[in-house]
Amino acid sequence: MTPGPRIPEVTGDLGDGTYRNPVLAADWSDPDVVRVGGDFYLTASSFGRAPGLPLLHSRDLVNWTLAGHALERLVPEGAFTGPRHDRGVWAPSLRHHDGRFWIFWGDPDHGVFQINAPSVEGPWSEPHLVKEGLGLIDACPLWDEETGEAYLVHGWAKSRAGFNNRLTGHRMRPDGTGVHGEGRTLVDADLIPGWFTLEGPKLYRHEGRFWILAPAGGVATGWQGAFRADSFFGPYEERIVLSQGDTDVNGPHQGGWVRTGAGEDWFLHFQQTGAHGRLVHLQPMRWDADGWPVLGDDGSPVRVHRKPALPPAPVSRPAVDDAFPGGAFGPQWQWTANPRADWVRSHGGKGLRLACVRTGRAGDLRSVPHVLTQRLPAGARTVEVRLRLESDAPGARAGLVVLGDAYAWIGLERGEDGGVLLVHRFAPGNADRERDAARARPAGAGEVLLRIEVTADARCRFSYDAGAGPVRLGPEFAATPWRWVGALLGLFAAAPEGEGHAGTGVFDDFRTTAATP
């Protein structure tokens, strides 16, 4: 396994008036941010997982909590009945206009969508298709308060459109329901020496000019660019405003600019890190004598910096642990496709009851929609969950999985002889079915504590405790990302095809413990 970029074990608020990047040490890909009063809100790509469009809240740009999701189900619904890990919601933009929150995003297979709501808590409108077409991605609106005009900019996915490396602009209806005409090319980066894979535009007005902040050069190796023009349709001049330089923060780009109530400027962007996905960094931002933005430390990313000059906020991070109170799961969890209501068994007791969904694809968890997932946090840590298998159906199983292009899981399975097996299985990235890594038949395996020890470079060691102490099971597994998504932690229950209800997997006390630095 090729080592990924180094990620500090201690990140976020350091408690002494400074912070260490990343401020969000998990896969919050393609972040965008907006300020409303004294509150900051952030959304990120959710691709093919549901619910989509996460909504994070902060008072100081360093400490964040997950408030929920804006998109209940992916649309068009028929396209997301099964996993489509690299499709769906790409690089959304979050704005506040006319007393409402707006989120625009591009789905490369369908077009540009938007939803809006009077508050982050909702209710959010049904998704509206603003512009139909293949390859339209990374959409961002702008309402020009000076003229009353509205605009939209987006990038292109070469896999669908046949080209990329350019940004297209449109005049937009002020109500955000559509665009006027076919649009015009604002920036063709094929004409800029050395520039490639220009994407992820964010559109702003500042000091009388139109600004587009957009990354180029690829997610792992690229840079953040700035473009400015006196007119929306250009011509635009460009400058690189953030690049790796002599730091260990590779490919620093794709994010959003926000100004605090005190007038400070900050920029949130991601860093591609392999199995842990795209981690979010916070950079100071200022304007030079020529009116160009300067990000980080004169154009290089900072690791440690003073916090924004904002009122103190409690140290917080998006939730990972879950006690499943009342049998419900928290907002950190997402399904790998649009869910069905019968996947979770309602009850008033303790623990999350997942139905052992009957399927002919139980041997490849990448292809089933009923895996409940959350982001794999960066850093060395131990992941644990209690599991009880309440099923008499032969082949019924439930477990804890590290899910990516390759995956591995540990859990319980009902054997053909009626006994319960402790199993560890894995699937390489080039295989269409999983294989046994190890299995055991421990006494009292009706309920077990499942454990995965994850190293800082995302190597995973699986073990269980059936009451007699921890037992290591199977070899080490190196977590892998998907095409655009970091590895996921997941819970699942499944059974072979057949008739009748196949029982449930009951999960309790999901928790993670960070290793001591």
Side-chain angles (χ1 to χ4, degrees), residues 134-135 155-166 168 185 190:
L134 286 175
W156 295 90
K158 187 174 183 179
S159 57
R160 277 72 161 186
F163 63 90
N164 66 348
N165 206 31
R166 71 184 66 169
T168 297
T185 297
D190 287 344

Side-chain angles (χ1 to χ4, degrees), residues 55 69-70 94 101-103 115-117 119-126:
L55 295 165
H69 291 81
L94 175 62
F101 288 87
W102 300 77
I103 303 178
I115 57 175
N116 59 86
S119 74
V120 165
E121 290 77 21
W124 288 90
S125 64
E126 291 297 314

Side-chain angles (χ1 to χ4, degrees), residues 186-435:
L186 303 184
V187 180
D188 184 347
D190 287 344
L191 304 179
I192 306 175
W195 284 62
F196 59 97
T197 320
L198 177 64
E199 58 188 352
K202 296 295 183 285
L203 182 59
Y204 307 94
R205 276 284 249 163
H206 175 65
E207 298 292 339
R209 289 187 171 109
F210 289 87
W211 288 87
I212 299 173
L213 301 183
V219 294
T221 56
W223 57 88
Q224 177 66 39
F227 300 83
R228 70 182 185 187
D230 294 326
S231 164
F232 173 68
F233 287 107
Y236 283 85
E237 54 182 331
E238 82 284 343
R239 180 173 291 187
I240 294 174
V241 294
L242 185 70
S243 60
Q244 179 170 351
D246 295 329
T247 75
D248 60 354
V249 181
N250 59 296
H253 69 320
Q254 186 123 337
W257 162 39
V258 67
R259 174 167 286 177
T260 71
E264 287 187 346
D265 293 311
W266 297 85
F267 186 77
L268 286 150
H269 68 92
F270 76 73
Q271 175 196 16
Q272 173 72 26
T273 63
H276 288 113
R278 301 172 178 182
L279 315 185
V280 177
H281 291 231
L282 176 66
Q283 302 296 337
M285 178 172 165
R286 60 181 176 85
W287 300 85
D288 69 14
D290 295 324
W292 287 94
V294 179
L295 276 55
D297 181 8
D298 288 330
S300 294
V302 301
R303 271 294 187 191
V304 178
H305 196 270
R306 70 161 179 86
K307 292 174 59 180
L310 292 165
V315 174
S316 60
R317 297 183 182 185
V320 176
D321 296 353
D322 202 340
F324 306 117
F329 54 84
Q332 65 267 40
W333 297 96
Q334 298 170 285
W335 300 99
T336 49
N338 282 331
R340 294 197 329 236
D342 60 354
W343 290 351
V344 178
R345 301 294 179 185
S346 300
H347 68 101
K350 199 167 181 286
L352 174 68
R353 303 178 69 92
L354 295 185
C356 293
V357 178
R358 290 194 178 275
T359 174
R361 304 193 305 271
D364 185 358
L365 294 178
R366 296 162 297 198
S367 68
V368 298
H370 53 273
V371 182
L372 189 62
T373 68
Q374 63 167 286
R375 295 157 180 84
L376 175 67
R381 62 192 60 243
T382 299
V383 181
E384 295 180 330
V385 67
R386 291 198 169 275
L387 170 63
R388 185 172 69 255
L389 182 61
E390 295 184 349
S391 173
D392 294 325
R397 68 203 59 177
L400 170 64
V401 60
V402 179
L403 190 64
D405 184 54
Y407 74 86
W409 65 273
I410 186 171
L412 296 175
E413 181 178 69
R414 181 67 65 179
E416 294 293 333
D417 62 357
V420 175
L421 295 169
L422 206 304
V423 297
H424 175 205
R425 293 202 177 104
F426 74 101
N430 59 357
D432 59 1
R433 292 194 67 82
E434 63 191 28
R435 311 170 188 171

